[in-house]
Amino acid sequence: MIEIKDVRKSFSTLEVLKGINLTVNKGEVVTIIGGSGSGKSTLLTCINGLEPINAGQITIDGTVVHAKDTDLNKLRRKVGIVFQQWNAFPHLTVLENVMLAPRKVLGLSKEKAEEIAVKQLTHVGLREKLTVYPSRMSGGQQQRMAIARALAMSPEYMLFDEVTSALDPMLVGEVLDTLKMLAEEGMTMICVTHEMAFARDVSDRVAFFHQGVMAEIGTPDQLFGAPQHPDTQAFLASVR
Amino acid sequence: MLNYTFHWNQAFKALPQMLDGALVTLQIALLSMVIGLALALTLTAFRLSGNRILSGFATTWVEIARNTPALFQIYMAHFGLGNFGIHLSPYTALLVGIAFNNAGYLAENFRGALKAIPDTQTRAGRSLGMTPVQAFRLIVLPQMLRIAFLPVTNQMVWAILMTSLGVTVGMNTDLAGITQELNARSFRTFEFFALAAVIYYIIAKLVTLAARLLAARMFRY
């Protein structure tokens, strides 16, 4: 369970998160929608401790993320994240990209790491690309590789930060299908996205962020069907 | 008109001697590169450390190495340190001078190469649970070495050519030193120096070729 309590975060004088409260249960899929600069991506990077917070508390299965004695490297094995820019490691083949962390971070044998990597890459439809370097693949394929790379750590939670925003419209579908598949398998996920149809389809709950505040949260039917907050209504009207 | 008769035979007779010198030249250049690379990595680490004393030290080193003549750097290693009671042989002084110069240029190359690697690469590594050291070693360093490879090769060629400055501190076993002595004995300046130049050229070309082959093997992406 991920518990976010009164989290505040500023970049110098700009407050981007103004007291966020959100609890995500095991097996739940929560998507976060909202305009640019609403703080949605920042929240994700705070959850796995890549960014410090100014106030409040985030706990993952009882571990306080920003406590001084928390081993973030250990915590991050449990919480995978995939970014808008997929950040393939260009000097490694697809297989090596996915094997690297299981070998070096989890200390698995080469054989075991390879087995896991092949399994995950097959899962995201890249079985044929094992020996290829990332530069030879499309953005969609690289993004699916990044997802496999995160999954190879056997995380209990996955965070997706606008994973389709930097992709050609033609390639968005294949990545969203991969996310849907994960959701159906019961992965606990927080997805920041601009894909409204996707949010409606896979989410248990949808949260709308506006200017650093979570203005509204509810089931897809509630939020898309009968939005209560005027900002939500305005946002949804503008994206439709 | 041309008032000089070429005596190439004399030069060719001395070829074995000159090739022995060429080996010494190559040895100094290689050693100076190994030491230079180690120092450059250290200087780069100093500059990234965030410690003002360490990064100030590294920056000063790089500034001096890159903005003063290599000849003076070798002079300082031989005569300059001599004034403080540290007496280095011509061989050691030459090696120290060139290694100092290499370290400065290579550290600057490394800095440029590091800048070319986006921070998001480190971030991706960290988000997979890697420690900062792991992320640097497994993700940043290999990419940095590829970007810096060509400039490093250039510096190696430059190091070979710089060894010829050793004659100014009494170095007489490398290619330039031996050529200088042969010249002093025979006054066949053109022949000896032309032959030496050809040898330098061939060494430099071979090093570049070897580097290219090595790069093709190492960097397949």
Side-chain angles (χ1 to χ4, degrees):
Chain A
M1 189 165 72
I2 299 177
E3 289 173 278
I4 300 163
K5 277 190 197 141
D6 294 322
V7 166
R8 288 175 179 275
K9 163 78 186 167
S10 305
F11 291 109
S12 63
T13 57
L14 181 72
E15 192 169 37
V16 287
L17 295 177
K18 301 171 182 164
I20 301 292
N21 287 289
L22 175 66
T23 301
V24 179
N25 292 307
K26 260 289 165 69
E28 205 181 8
V29 177
V30 173
T31 53
I32 303 176
I33 59 172
S36 301
S38 58
K40 5 182 241 312
S41 296
T42 305
L43 182 67
L44 290 195
T45 49
C46 290
I47 291 175
N48 80 346
L50 282 171
E51 289 285 354
I53 57 177
N54 298 93
Q57 182 172 294
I58 300 173
T59 51
I60 298 176
D61 296 337
T63 308
V64 179
V65 176
H66 296 89
K68 266 191 185 141
D69 57 351
T70 298
D71 183 351
L72 280 175
N73 300 325
K74 207 171 160 187
L75 186 77
R76 287 183 190 132
R77 296 174 197 172
K78 187 150 122 170
V79 188
I81 186 166
V82 181
F83 301 98
Q84 181 176 352
Q85 285 298 339
W86 36 89
N87 304 320
F89 302 139
H91 59 300
L92 301 175
T93 63
V94 168
L95 181 63
E96 288 166 345
N97 257 273
V98 180
M99 279 172 68
L100 186 66
R103 284 203 69 191
K104 302 292 179 178
V105 177
L106 301 180
L108 299 181
S109 68
K110 192 167 178 259
E111 292 71 28
K112 186 70 190 151
E114 187 169 332
E115 188 193 316
I116 293 173
V118 171
K119 190 179 132 210
Q120 291 301 345
L121 284 165
T122 308
H123 204 45
V124 300
L126 293 174
R127 180 70 181 79
E128 308 303 315
K129 300 283 182 188
L130 300 184
T131 57
V132 171
Y133 283 97
S135 58
R136 295 291 171 88
M137 300 201 302
S138 72
Q141 289 171 329
Q142 292 194 49
Q143 188 59 293
R144 282 187 281 146
M145 184 202 77
I147 295 172
R149 191 170 69 181
L151 292 175
M153 297 297 284
S154 331
E156 294 172 37
Y157 303 93
M158 282 295 297
L159 312 174
F160 293 99
D161 183 10
E162 295 189 33
V163 290
T164 57
S165 296
L167 292 176
D168 257 59
M170 280 171 63
L171 303 174
V172 168
E174 60 185 74
V175 173
L176 291 183
D177 287 344
T178 307
L179 297 191
K180 268 182 211 164
M181 178 180 76
L182 284 178
E184 280 159 16
E185 288 167 6
M187 175 64 78
T188 312
M189 294 164 44
I190 305 179
C191 309
V192 167
T193 187
H194 291 303
E195 301 290 334
M196 296 305 146
F198 166 78
R200 189 165 203 160
D201 232 26
V202 303
S203 313
D204 294 308
R205 283 186 294 158
V206 182
F208 171 69
F209 273 44
H210 185 66
Q211 295 177 350
V213 176
M214 189 167 76
E216 190 168 350
I217 184 165
T219 63
D221 284 346
Q222 284 169 350
L223 199 113
F224 289 109
Q228 300 300 308
H229 198 284
D231 289 327
T232 320
Q233 291 163 356
F235 177 76
L236 289 174
S238 72
V239 296
R240 256 172 206 152
Chain B
M1 274 302 290
L2 190 65
N3 194 11
Y4 185 82
T5 325
F6 290 106
H7 288 275
W8 289 103
N9 255 345
Q10 246 184 5
F12 285 122
K13 252 186 256 167
L15 190 60
Q17 226 182 319
M18 290 172 82
L19 288 177
D20 284 346
L23 278 182
V24 176
T25 292
L26 197 57
Q27 187 190 40
I28 297 176
L30 273 174
L31 271 175
S32 77
M33 278 304 281
V34 171
I35 301 170
L37 281 168
L39 287 171
L41 281 174
T42 313
L43 291 177
T44 307
F46 281 7
R47 287 218 260 189
L48 294 176
S49 68
N51 179 313
R52 275 176 58 191
I53 296 169
L54 290 181
S55 75
F57 171 82
T59 304
T60 309
W61 183 318
V62 171
E63 286 293 308
I64 295 173
R66 296 178 72 231
N67 298 298
T68 62
L71 177 68
F72 293 7
Q73 294 164 20
I74 295 163
Y75 252 59
M76 279 297 178
H78 191 62
F79 302 112
L81 291 180
N83 288 346
F84 296 99
I86 304 167
H87 297 285
L88 302 182
S89 68
Y91 183 98
T92 313
L94 182 59
L95 182 58
V96 168
I98 299 175
F100 174 85
N101 186 280
N102 284 345
Y105 275 92
L106 293 171
E108 194 65 6
N109 290 334
F110 288 165
R111 192 169 77 131
L114 278 178
K115 272 198 174 162
I117 302 166
D119 292 342
T120 49
Q121 286 283 311
T122 306
R123 185 166 255 236
R126 296 300 310 277
S127 70
L128 289 166
M130 290 180 197
T131 63
V133 174
Q134 280 179 322
F136 183 80
R137 192 166 53 81
L138 299 169
I139 295 166
V140 177
L141 191 64
Q143 296 185 53
M144 181 190 96
L145 291 179
R146 185 199 176 159
I147 299 169
F149 193 81
L150 193 64
V152 169
T153 310
N154 285 340
Q155 187 67 26
M156 174 68 196
V157 171
W158 183 227
I160 292 166
L161 303 183
M162 269 194 291
T163 57
S164 64
L165 295 170
V167 290
T168 61
V169 293
M171 181 74 191
N172 58 6
T173 52
D174 71 324
L175 180 54
I178 284 175
T179 309
Q180 174 68 10
E181 294 216 331
L182 289 167
N183 170 52
R185 260 185 272 150
S186 65
F187 294 108
R188 289 282 145 207
T189 309
F190 186 89
E191 290 89 329
F192 282 119
F193 279 94
L195 186 58
V198 170
I199 299 174
Y200 275 114
Y201 183 89
I202 292 172
I203 299 174
K205 277 290 163 189
L206 286 177
V207 165
T208 313
L209 184 69
R212 218 172 272 164
L213 292 175
L214 189 65
R217 264 194 77 83
M218 277 168 49
F219 310 122
R220 303 229 172 125
Y221 59 100

